[in-house]
Amino acid sequence: MQNKFVIPGDFIGTSEEFIAGSGTYEEKGSIFAAITGNVKINPREREVIVSPRTNVPPIPKVGDVVVGRIVDLKNSVALVEIARIKGREDREIVNTDEGAIHISNVKSSYVNELGREFAVHDIVKAKVIDTRTMRLSTADKQLGVVKALCTRCRSPLKRKENSSTLICTKCERVENRKISEDYGLGII
Ligand code: ZN
């Protein structure tokens, strides 16, 4: 089992043989891999871990453009579940980092109300401006919401020509977002 390559859900051993360490989980006395990697057993402590494959998941750097989903809106901060890093689409981010867009980083002009710029479930493109607290910015033209659904009927919102206003394709509700110039183009 030592060094064996495993994927999530692979059986590694029993809790009688081993202590489940990082990268593993235990269920009804059996230990399984929680991540993709190689099994490492520490014989002294009988601890078994799964060490992530050397092509470690990418970690966003300052200046990287990330794509994610708005998961929560607070008074002054929008929380983004980061799904991937632009230019490194081949690598999945395993431990999803949550980023935060502060109201002062939404656009270059003053934002009074965050709820007029984003809605929960919007897909956004944002730039990493600080990795310690994973702060993101959507102030550039190409950054912002790239996909949004109507908050009333959940149908796709379409961009009104030459404007930042979005209109529902079904119920014609009009909504406002800080949109990316790539809104609706599928270019992410
Ligand atoms: Zn609608």
Side-chain angles (χ1 to χ4, degrees), residues 3-182:
N3 278 325
K4 188 178 185 236
F5 175 69
V6 289
I7 60 168
D10 279 353
F11 175 78
I12 297 173
T14 67
S15 56
E16 283 165 2
E17 303 168 79
F18 304 114
I19 295 161
S22 65
T24 74
Y25 66 93
E26 198 184 319
E27 214 176 78
K28 293 184 182 138
S30 297
I31 299 168
F32 300 93
I35 59 172
T36 300
N38 296 90
V39 174
K40 304 277 179 215
I41 298 162
N42 176 339
R44 266 228 319 256
E45 287 150 24
R46 295 189 313 120
E47 187 193 43
V48 63
I49 67 160
V50 175
S51 159
R53 285 226 112 177
T54 42
N55 57 344
V56 281
I59 297 159
K61 303 188 303 288
V62 170
D64 275 345
V65 171
V66 296
V67 177
R69 192 170 58 97
I70 304 279
V71 288
D72 198 7
L73 285 179
K74 310 222 183 267
N75 275 338
S76 59
V77 170
L79 294 181
V80 181
E81 189 183 86
I82 299 172
R84 53 203 180 80
I85 304 171
K86 206 168 183 284
R88 284 187 273 171
E89 281 85 356
D90 56 322
R91 303 249 197 113
E92 187 189 355
I93 297 184
V94 175
N95 301 308
T96 310
D97 265 312
E98 225 168 64
I101 307 169
H102 188 260
I103 195 162
S104 62
N105 298 124
V106 173
K107 49 189 185 187
S108 43
S109 52
Y110 177 74
V111 171
N112 187 35
E113 207 186 311
L114 206 54
R116 275 186 58 77
E117 312 298 335
F118 300 123
V120 171
H121 302 309
D122 284 356
I123 306 296
V124 294
K125 200 159 69 161
K127 189 181 275 176
V128 178
I129 53 174
D130 172 18
T131 51
R132 201 174 48 86
T133 53
M134 204 45 78
R135 282 190 16 145
L136 309 174
S137 164
T138 54
D140 291 346
K141 267 201 304 193
Q142 78 273 24
L143 303 176
V145 177
V146 288
K147 202 173 160 190
L149 299 178
C150 172
T151 55
R152 186 160 60 195
C153 76
R154 314 306 303 155
S155 297
L157 291 171
K158 211 179 142 201
R159 184 182 181 174
K160 266 184 155 178
E161 233 176 289
N162 300 320
S163 94
S164 63
T165 306
L166 301 174
I167 184 159
C168 177
T169 49
K170 195 172 169 196
C171 74
E172 301 196 321
R173 178 185 166 89
V174 171
E175 298 197 15
N176 189 74
R177 296 286 199 283
K178 193 303 176 184
I179 58 167
S180 154
E181 62 183 4
D182 301 331

